Amino acid sequence: MISHKGQPLLQPETDSGEPGPPREVWGSKLGFVLAAVGSAVGLGNMWRFPYIAADSGGAAFVVLYILLLLFIGLPVLLAELAIGRSTRLSPIGALRASGGKRWAPLGMLFVATGFLILAYYSVIAGWTVRYAIDALVTGFPADPGARFGEIASGGGAVFFHLLFVGITALIVMGGVKKGIERAAVILMPTLILILLGIAIWAATLDGCREGYAFYLRPSVDDLLNPSILARAAGQAFFSLSLGMGAMLTYASYLSRREDINGEACVIAGADFGIAFVAGLAIFPIIAALSLFGDVGESTIGALFIALPTAFEAMGGVGRAVGILFLVALVVGALTSAISLLEVVTSSVMDELKASRRKAALLTGGAIALIGILPALSLGALDIMDHLAGDVFLVFGALLLALFVGWRMKGATDELSVGSRPIFVRLLPLWRFLLRFVIPPVLLIVFFTSVMAALKALGIMAD
Ligand code: PHE
């Protein structure tokens, strides 16, 4: 690997003769792709996407989302993969190695973002685990709205949050191949089969047409509202796990033979496909029982109130389908949480030269502690989601695009390694998008999400 000055780029310490194991690598190409799809597919796909789409323009939103994915999400994903694979380091070291000391703080922002997102993401995942166990043992609650109020915060929420972080840490402790990859290879196909199965079953329900209409009725007018663009772009980043180094870290375990451009297309395609299918599964079920009123003001309404009400009303079949749906949600959340923790853990391993076990225990423990706050207060959860899930992610992605577009040397070469000719021909377009198109778009999105966060904090009036 030769840098622009003809000097070899910094190699990870463990590869350069210092004590310690060599850097771990994925067992197979499929393992990497499934782990990356696992990171991307999570609560954001099955919870946020269908709701936002139905609420913000239906089919018109879907078209806008696909465009954003192609011209904004995919290029930033490629930027992360290029940095990760070329440096073979976790975010802080990777940015230091490819951009010099001044860029290391961006890596630190990534780590802080991953840390904060996991702290509240695991609280929501904890609710899901609890719903699944409840559904298995006693069935869906008669009054899901009241039940949600009971379990959303308090001792139970803390317990299930701790349980979820604990399981995540155990898998991360297992390592790249034996922990993360193995989990993804088992869990992702399970999730895809369950979701497709439910979507097909939902198509047989009376009222499915109204469900599709509610989800996809195109409303081009909605798209004229600039906040919808910001919402769509923010969702694309969250959903693809971009802007906090998850994809960068996973790419740092790649050997250099593969065509990462092709892999990026598969990851982005699967992420969108699963989000889209989740909507096809959810809305006919809600429509079959005319529960659109319960979808209410928030995404939480759709997931934790309207759906359980529908499953309960459908008797035995509803219960079985409901449990399967919750299993898919938990699986998606888990493989995403693993990638969030891996960013933090691998950074502690690289920066502090800690063993994987120690690093995972330390970072998992700290996240478990901080997560107690959102588990006790929905207000805190909301603020953390606005700050880390929107503002930090978009800011991180903006700086990353500027870095790879303007500062990093050799990024285009890195993406050409092992690549198909068609992708090599598209690389100048990629560079152009990173330099001139993505930064202004992200600046607008950043501005919008800062305003939304200030409103959520109560600093600004609506
Ligand atoms: N992409 C995940 C989802 O859609 C969430 C996530 C964000 C995971 C950032 C890792 C990093 O739920």
Side-chain angles (χ1 to χ4, degrees):
M1 191 185 349
I2 302 296
S3 78
H4 61 290
K5 295 188 191 102
Q7 300 289 324
L9 281 177
L10 212 66
Q11 286 290 322
E13 279 78 8
T14 45
D15 278 359
S16 58
E18 285 191 16
R23 191 159 189 84
E24 299 168 85
V25 289
W26 299 105
S28 69
K29 177 176 156 167
L30 183 70
F32 160 71
V33 172
L34 285 178
V37 171
S39 168
V41 172
L43 297 169
N45 298 62
M46 284 174 276
W47 171 52
R48 251 168 140 199
F49 178 84
Y51 171 79
I52 298 183
D55 187 47
S56 321
F61 179 90
V62 174
V63 172
L64 171 73
Y65 187 79
I66 293 176
L67 290 177
L68 284 172
L69 214 54
L70 281 176
F71 292 105
I72 312 268
L74 197 57
V76 175
L77 173 59
L78 283 169
E80 282 208 22
L81 297 181
I83 302 179
R85 190 176 68 172
S86 67
T87 59
R88 305 194 66 218
L89 288 166
S90 53
I92 302 174
L95 281 151
R96 194 188 292 124
S98 49
K101 264 206 207 99
R102 270 194 306 161
W103 285 92
L106 179 56
M108 291 174 203
L109 173 72
F110 286 172
V111 175
T113 307
F115 187 99
L116 284 176
I117 294 184
L118 184 53
Y120 73 84
Y121 196 81
S122 64
V123 174
I124 304 173
W127 299 338
T128 319
V129 173
R130 183 153 186 197
Y131 262 75
I133 294 176
D134 267 9
L136 211 60
V137 180
T138 56
F140 284 94
D143 183 352
R147 180 73 183 142
F148 180 70
E150 278 162 32
I151 70 162
S153 19
V158 172
F159 174 81
F160 282 96
H161 148 72
L162 294 179
L163 179 75
F164 189 80
V165 176
I167 296 171
T168 308
L170 274 179
I171 295 173
V172 167
M173 249 180 244
V176 172
K177 212 191 296 185
K178 297 217 177 87
I180 302 173
E181 181 169 350
R182 194 186 278 169
V185 167
I186 299 169
L187 294 176
M188 288 322 288
T190 310
L191 179 151
I192 293 171
L193 283 180
I194 293 179
L195 211 58
L196 281 177
I198 299 180
I200 293 171
W201 172 79
T204 67
L205 295 175
D206 281 342
C208 67
R209 273 165 207 272
E210 288 92 85
Y212 300 136
F214 180 79
Y215 177 29
L216 295 173
R217 177 173 294 135
S219 158
V220 179
D221 284 354
D222 279 350
L223 298 191
L224 300 178
N225 180 347
S227 73
I228 300 279
L229 173 75
R231 215 171 173 199
Q235 169 63 14
F237 279 103
F238 185 84
S239 187
L240 274 176
S241 308
L242 296 177
M244 47 74 64
M247 294 299 179
L248 186 163
T249 307
Y250 275 7
S252 75
Y253 304 122
L254 277 174
S255 65
R256 26 196 40 253
R257 272 155 298 161
E258 292 126 16
D259 175 8
I260 36 179
N261 305 292
E263 286 166 12
C265 294
V266 173
I267 296 165
D271 185 52
F272 168 73
I274 292 173
F276 186 70
V277 171
L280 295 181
I282 291 174
F283 289 112
I285 297 175
I286 294 179
L289 289 143
S290 312
L291 288 170
F292 290 124
D294 284 353
V295 173
E297 291 285 293
S298 69
T299 49
I300 291 181
L303 191 62
F304 289 102
I305 299 173
L307 270 182
T309 308
F311 289 138
E312 170 64 13
M314 286 175 178
V317 179
R319 186 163 168 191
V321 174
I323 291 170
L324 281 174
F325 184 72
L326 287 169
V327 169
L329 269 176
V330 172
V331 161
L334 184 61
T335 48
S336 296
I338 291 170
S339 71
L340 287 161
L341 185 59
E342 179 62 15
V343 169
V344 189
T345 299
S346 66
S347 302
V348 168
M349 285 168 69
D350 285 356
E351 294 299 308
L352 305 181
K353 314 252 178 302
S355 71
R356 174 171 281 280
R357 216 184 133 72
K358 265 198 206 131
L361 273 177
L362 182 79
T363 54
I367 289 166
L369 261 180
I370 299 294
I372 293 178
L373 194 70
L376 291 178
S377 147
L378 277 181
L381 191 150
D382 196 41
I383 290 171
M384 287 168 81
D385 185 29
H386 273 297
L387 267 185
D390 288 333
V391 177
F392 287 9
L393 272 193
V394 174
F395 189 56
L398 171 63
L399 292 181
L400 189 92
L402 289 172
F403 171 68
V404 178
W406 294 98
R407 174 82 175 82
M408 185 180 167
K409 301 282 190 298
T412 311
D413 293 344
E414 179 62 35
L415 291 180
S416 312
V417 176
S419 177
R420 268 161 275 195
I422 166 88
F423 291 126
V424 178
R425 254 177 274 137
L426 285 171
L427 285 175
L429 172 66
W430 169 73
R431 190 74 173 223
F432 176 83
L433 290 170
L434 275 185
R435 286 188 161 184
F436 300 108
V437 177
I438 295 174
V441 173
L442 285 186
L443 210 59
I444 299 173
V445 178
F446 176 67
F447 187 66
T448 318
S449 44
V450 169
M451 302 295 266
L454 289 179
K455 272 180 200 155
L457 284 167
I459 296 173
M460 255 178 57
D462 281 290

